[in-house]
Amino acid sequence: MLRFTIKCPHCQSHGIARGIEKVSPTSWLLDFQCDDVTCGHSYRTRIDMFPPETPIPRRVRRETASLQFNE
C-alpha cells in the first residue's frame, strides 16, 4: 500500500495523508496529519495537474455499423 507523505511544516516529521477532496477534474485538496504524536499538526495541501486541461479528451463513442455480407 502506498502512503502519500509530505514533511510537517512545524517539526519536519512525516505528515501522512488522511483525507482527499476532489475540487475539479484536475485539482485535489489533501488533508495531512503529522506522524509525530508530540506535534500532531494537521494541515491541508492542494495538488493541481498542469496543464489544467485533461491530456487526452474523451471521445464520443461511435455508432457501430452493421456488417452486410453478400450471400
Side-chain angles (χ1 to χ4, degrees):
M1 180 176 188
L2 178 67
R3 285 182 12 171
F4 193 62
T5 63
I6 293 179
K7 286 188 177 182
C8 174
H10 287 247
C11 70
Q12 301 301 311
S13 292
H14 285 201
I16 300 170
R18 299 292 185 190
I20 187 168
E21 178 183 342
K22 190 170 187 174
V23 178
S24 73
T26 59
S27 182
W28 299 264
L29 294 174
L30 278 82
D31 294 322
F32 285 86
Q33 185 178 22
C34 183
D35 202 28
D36 183 356
V37 293
T38 57
C39 176
H41 182 66
S42 296
Y43 49 101
R44 178 169 270 192
T45 60
R46 182 180 185 121
I47 296 179
D48 291 313
M49 185 184 341
F50 289 98
E53 300 85 28
T54 51
I56 301 171
R58 291 184 180 230
R59 292 190 208 167
V60 178
R61 207 172 171 145
R62 295 184 297 174
E63 299 275 335
T64 55
S66 60
L67 299 175
Q68 297 178 1
F69 296 100
N70 294 332
E71 291 185 16

